[in-house]
Amino acid sequence: MIWDWHFAGKILPDLLRGLVVTVEATLLGYAVALVLGLLWAVLRRSPSRVVNQVVRWVVEFIRSTPLLVQLFFLFFALPSIGLTFSALVTGVIGLGVHYSSYTSEVYRAGIADVPAGQWEATTALNLPRRRVWFGVVLPQAVRKVIPTLGNYLIAMFKDSPLLLAITVPEMLHSAYDVGAKSLRFLEPMTIVGVLFVIVSVLSSLLLRRLEFRYGNN
Amino acid sequence: MSDVLSSYPLLLRGAWVTIQLTVYGSALALVLAFVFGLMGGARSAWVRAVGRVYVEFFRGTATLVLMYWLFYALPLIGFRFAPMFAAVLALGLNVGAYGAEVVRGAVKAVPKAQFEATIALNMRPWQRLRRVLLPQAVALMLPPFGNLLIELMKGSAVVSLISIADLMLRAQQLRQSTGQTTAVFLVILVIYFVIAQVLQLLVRYMERRADIMLGRRPGRAARSALDTLGAAK
């Protein structure tokens, strides 16, 4: 069996449609991860020891168990408690929650990096808690960690094929479908691999520019 | 829940496969990380380029895509792998690429004076690496290697998709036979968590050993000597 360019051209549109779903799931999941991670990080600073420790272990648990298992868990367990989502939404939630455990660590480092003087100043000015976080601490903390957060976008993109296990029609899923129908796996699998590398390398170039912009202040 | 717990031999067998995958995969990743990581710091531009290509390529592909490619596409051009071999290869190649970056960074992070000293002492290149640079670099590599080890262990769950009977696949079987989806997945989540915590403890222990070896932390003999000194005062 040798490489067939004609066949490769014919299946490309199908695979690109899969790529759109992959990108969609990644971006939506990333949004969830950014928001939820921030929530974890802020809760970790809570003065209550109980909240603090509970959040710490929950995040540790999410981080040290496989995404695939979590996806299955959500896919099968959510309906049994009455929440029914489409496969894509379940996948987005899964990706988002899993990666929130990573982003929370990034935010935590950023928050820890805010000089103590800034905190003291908010106390001296008697700012309400909401303004302490949204007006003073987070703008400084988040700016610094933007490049690091960007790395997780790429990591997440590369974990998105796992969604095929819960029947989301993403790129690898379409490749597998094409392969199963035509019994030719070489072209679809190779194209998917190449597309993955192209998108990852392009986005890492983009990130490098982002790093350049935010890195030095 | 009790149905699930009473079928623990099945889950234990699955966990054993997961652990095997982790061990083989990380052994392969470790070798690749050192080979390509050291190439990344080589003087010749060609050797460096080979290291870069490996890192960029395998960091850019998803493990699952790589595994599918090895398992479904390669047999068609005449290479047939056993599933276990394809899985270990995919995990090792992927994590090895991240590891190579760690190795390269760690060797670069050893103070420059150390390298200059080896030249002043007229050491051969291999001696420089073996006696001076690597012992210090390894201590820097251990914490990121620990993270990668856990990533690899977690990543091994995807091998169930090419029908290897790891913990994840056993859970699927159990789900089909008992119908207790939530309980099954909760149990294996906990098993994965326990494995991860054990791996973490192991890496912490190695970090302590490396620190003691480099004299950055007193060893047991030194500590007890310090204690007796303190008691004598």
Side-chain angles (χ1 to χ4, degrees):
Chain A
M1 182 165 211
I2 47 151
W3 183 267
D4 180 353
W5 280 108
H6 181 68
F7 179 62
K10 216 173 66 189
I11 60 174
L12 194 60
D14 272 343
L15 297 182
L16 287 179
R17 252 198 305 285
L19 179 63
V20 172
V21 177
T22 300
V23 170
E24 229 170 54
T26 308
L27 290 180
L28 289 175
Y30 192 55
V32 174
L34 287 184
V35 173
L36 204 58
L38 190 58
L39 184 71
W40 297 135
V42 172
L43 284 179
R44 278 297 301 274
R45 302 288 296 211
S46 145
S48 149
R49 248 185 98 88
V50 178
V51 174
N52 211 314
Q53 288 301 310
V54 167
V55 170
R56 179 175 154 216
W57 284 104
V58 166
V59 171
E60 177 75 26
F61 188 83
I62 296 174
R63 198 180 30 198
S64 53
T65 50
L67 174 60
L68 185 64
V69 183
Q70 292 170 1
L71 285 173
F72 271 106
F73 180 74
L74 289 176
F75 192 62
F76 291 113
L78 283 186
S80 73
I81 55 164
L83 292 166
T84 326
F85 297 116
S86 71
L88 181 64
V89 174
T90 312
V92 166
I93 296 175
L95 273 176
V97 169
H98 188 74
Y99 273 90
S100 74
S101 66
Y102 290 92
T103 52
S104 86
E105 284 301 302
V106 176
Y107 284 125
R108 207 162 70 88
I111 293 171
D113 231 26
V114 172
Q118 299 284 328
W119 289 97
E120 288 158 9
T122 60
T123 312
L125 291 170
N126 201 19
L127 289 182
R129 268 177 87 100
R130 186 205 292 253
R131 291 205 46 206
V132 172
W133 282 108
F134 289 101
V136 181
V137 176
L138 290 183
Q140 299 182 60
V142 172
R143 204 185 151 78
K144 235 177 275 176
V145 296
I146 285 174
T148 324
L149 284 176
N151 286 334
Y152 286 108
L153 180 62
I154 300 182
M156 217 162 145
F157 173 68
K158 288 189 317 177
D159 264 351
S160 63
L162 293 187
L163 299 189
L164 83 93
I166 57 165
T167 70
V168 176
E170 50 73 58
M171 187 159 50
L172 191 59
H173 195 276
S174 353
Y176 187 78
D177 267 359
V178 168
K181 253 183 255 153
S182 61
L183 292 179
R184 294 185 69 100
F185 280 100
L186 181 63
E187 288 89 353
M189 290 299 163
T190 310
I191 295 175
V192 167
V194 172
L195 282 177
F196 259 99
V197 173
I198 292 176
V199 176
S200 316
V201 170
L202 280 184
S203 31
S204 73
L205 287 180
L206 214 76
L207 266 182
R208 202 130 333 137
R209 292 194 49 185
L210 212 71
E211 215 164 310
F212 189 68
R213 232 187 105 185
Y214 290 101
N216 41 10
N217 45 115
Chain B
M1 196 74 186
S2 61
D3 275 0
V4 178
L5 290 181
S6 65
S7 46
Y8 72 93
L10 198 67
L11 291 178
L12 280 186
R13 270 215 302 279
W16 177 235
V17 173
T18 294
I19 292 171
Q20 274 177 318
L21 280 166
T22 310
V23 171
Y24 297 150
S26 54
L28 176 62
L30 195 66
V31 172
L32 290 173
F34 270 97
V35 170
F36 288 100
L38 293 177
M39 280 170 90
R43 204 180 300 162
S44 143
W46 285 106
V47 176
R48 272 209 311 275
V50 172
R52 278 266 35 99
V53 167
Y54 167 75
V55 167
E56 289 300 333
F57 185 81
F58 285 104
R59 265 199 326 186
T61 37
T63 321
L64 184 57
V65 175
L66 192 62
M67 212 177 283
Y68 263 44
W69 192 74
L70 290 174
F71 193 67
Y72 289 112
L74 273 192
L76 301 176
I77 51 173
F79 296 97
R80 190 174 298 278
F81 297 125
M84 189 77 175
F85 188 73
V88 168
L89 204 60
L91 287 170
L93 283 169
N94 202 246
V95 175
Y98 288 97
E101 282 295 273
V102 172
V103 170
R104 192 174 65 91
V107 171
K108 226 168 83 180
V110 173
K112 189 111 205 289
Q114 296 282 330
F115 180 69
E116 286 160 2
T118 60
I119 295 180
L121 290 172
N122 201 19
M123 282 178 155
R124 282 194 301 273
W126 174 244
Q127 282 180 316
R128 289 176 202 157
L129 216 56
R130 164 81 187 71
R131 300 265 173 213
V132 180
L133 297 179
L134 278 185
Q136 298 181 58
V138 165
L140 296 174
M141 291 172 206
L142 281 175
F145 272 172
N147 288 339
L148 286 178
L149 182 62
I150 290 175
E151 290 294 316
L152 193 143
M153 189 278 292
K154 279 164 43 186
S156 77
V158 307
V159 304
S160 62
L161 299 178
I162 58 168
S163 66
I164 293 175
D166 75 329
L167 190 50
M168 179 70 197
L169 194 82
R170 293 295 185 194
Q172 295 275 38
Q173 289 171 350
L174 211 56
R175 181 176 71 81
Q176 273 150 16
S177 63
T178 64
Q180 292 182 318
T181 309
T182 316
V184 171
F185 282 115
L186 268 181
V187 168
I188 71 159
L189 278 173
V190 170
I191 298 179
Y192 273 115
F193 180 66
V194 170
I195 297 178
Q197 295 303 311
V198 171
L199 289 178
Q200 216 159 49
L201 286 178
L202 218 68
V203 174
R204 295 256 164 79
Y205 172 74
M206 279 158 65
E207 281 170 31
R208 268 205 306 278
R209 290 303 306 250
D211 278 353
I212 292 170
M213 186 188 79
L214 290 173
R216 288 175 189 163
R217 186 202 292 255
R220 190 180 297 154
R223 255 206 315 277
S224 63
L226 284 175
D227 283 348
T228 47
L229 271 180
K233 257 188 208 164

